[in-house]
Amino acid sequence: MQLLTSSIGRKILMAITGLFMVLFVIVHLLGNSSVFAGPGGLNAYAEHLHSMPLPIIAAFRAVMLVVICVHIWFGIQLTIENSGGRPQQYAVKATQKATFASENMIWTGLLLLAFIVYHLLQFTFRVTPDVAAFAGQVPGNVFGMVVTSFKNFFVTFIYAAAMVTLFLHLSHGVQSFFQTLGWNNDRVQPGITKAGTLVALVLFLGFVAIPLTIFAGILKG
Ligand code: HEM
């Protein structure tokens, strides 16, 4: 119960749910990178995911939903608390410089939420106009759907902007995870900062390569 009522408890819950989402995003990028193997690659990956037993898919989606809701709820609470001028509680204190990313976590987080809603409406529920031809086919030609979408400038732009937002959110989020759990001090802090930036950069480059190579006509349907 103290986990829910104390500031450090809420930060720990944010760290755990954040870690869960980072792991999901890493696995999602590894799976999505099969797009570079052509239609056979991504479509086989989508077939594999959809062939999993329904209870497993449903349980995974329910856990993801709870994880996202907990992360957002406590993120909003912490932002309100911190704006009240109370000192931040971390397990171990270490000097951490305020950066654009660290000062705008709530905004990059809310923008990512908007992106996830759009992304689900597009590629999971297939109700956006760009994927109208693929509606109702599950999973169907996922490669064709993704390539069709990213031929559109606005869709590619939304994804590129969302991936910059993901980079900003993770570059601070990863190091904040270590600070919350007290796994940092002034000696290791520079290394943790670099590691956080590196994780965020690899994810950014990996994801953004998909819409950009398709839009540029390098990856064709
Ligand atoms: C270029 C970037 C991305 C591409 C091409 C992409 C592609 C896809 C596709 C095709 C699906 C539907 C899979 C299917 O039902 O067969 C999907 C689902 C999903 N994506 Fe992405 N994705 C990208 C980035 C992201 C990012 C950055 C996030 C999170 C921040 C994300 C979160 C999700 C989630 C939560 C689902 C639903 C998973 C489920 O069905 O349970 N995606 N994505």
Side-chain angles (χ1 to χ4, degrees):
M1 201 55 206
Q2 236 211 316
L3 212 56
L4 297 175
T5 52
S6 68
S7 174
I8 183 68
R10 288 195 287 257
K11 274 197 77 70
I12 288 171
L13 280 174
M14 286 203 70
I16 295 167
T17 49
L19 174 69
F20 190 93
M21 287 190 280
V22 169
L23 292 178
F24 167 79
V25 167
I26 291 172
V27 173
H28 195 46
L29 175 59
L30 290 174
N32 284 348
S33 57
S34 62
V35 73
F36 295 110
L42 188 63
N43 289 348
Y45 173 65
E47 283 289 347
H48 169 71
L49 287 183
H50 284 267
S51 67
M52 286 190 190
L54 214 59
I56 295 191
I57 297 179
F60 169 76
R61 286 180 171 167
V63 169
M64 274 300 280
L65 191 64
V66 171
V67 160
I68 291 176
C69 289
V70 167
H71 196 81
I72 294 169
W73 179 255
F74 290 122
I76 292 172
Q77 272 199 359
L78 278 166
T79 307
I80 294 170
E81 251 177 54
N82 292 342
S83 69
R86 284 222 267 139
Q88 293 202 5
Q89 288 180 358
Y90 282 110
V92 168
K93 291 203 192 313
T95 321
Q96 216 183 14
K97 268 188 275 160
T99 58
F100 178 80
S102 72
E103 304 230 304
N104 290 286
M105 287 302 275
I106 186 69
W107 302 117
T108 50
L110 291 175
L111 279 174
L112 282 175
L113 173 65
F115 164 73
I116 292 170
V117 171
Y118 165 69
H119 184 55
L120 292 181
L121 290 174
Q122 183 186 33
F123 288 156
T124 300
F125 298 108
R126 304 183 188 184
V127 292
T128 54
D130 53 325
V131 296
F134 301 89
Q137 312 165 12
V138 179
N141 183 5
V142 175
F143 180 86
M145 174 176 74
V146 168
V147 168
T148 304
S149 287
F150 293 144
K151 277 184 184 158
N152 181 305
F153 171 78
F154 291 104
V155 176
T156 298
F157 181 80
I158 289 171
Y159 272 74
M163 295 313 115
V164 171
T165 311
L166 181 69
F167 169 78
L168 289 171
H169 200 76
L170 291 187
S171 63
H172 177 72
V174 173
Q175 54 169 304
S176 186
F177 171 87
F178 287 96
Q179 183 161 23
T180 295
L181 298 183
W183 294 344
N184 72 335
N185 54 46
D186 283 340
R187 193 173 51 82
V188 296
Q189 183 62 43
I192 288 174
T193 304
K194 278 194 193 116
T197 308
L198 187 68
V199 170
L201 189 65
V202 169
L203 287 168
F204 166 73
L205 291 174
F207 275 120
V208 88
I210 301 173
L212 290 189
T213 51
I214 293 171
F215 186 71
I218 298 165
L219 183 60
K220 293 189 180 82

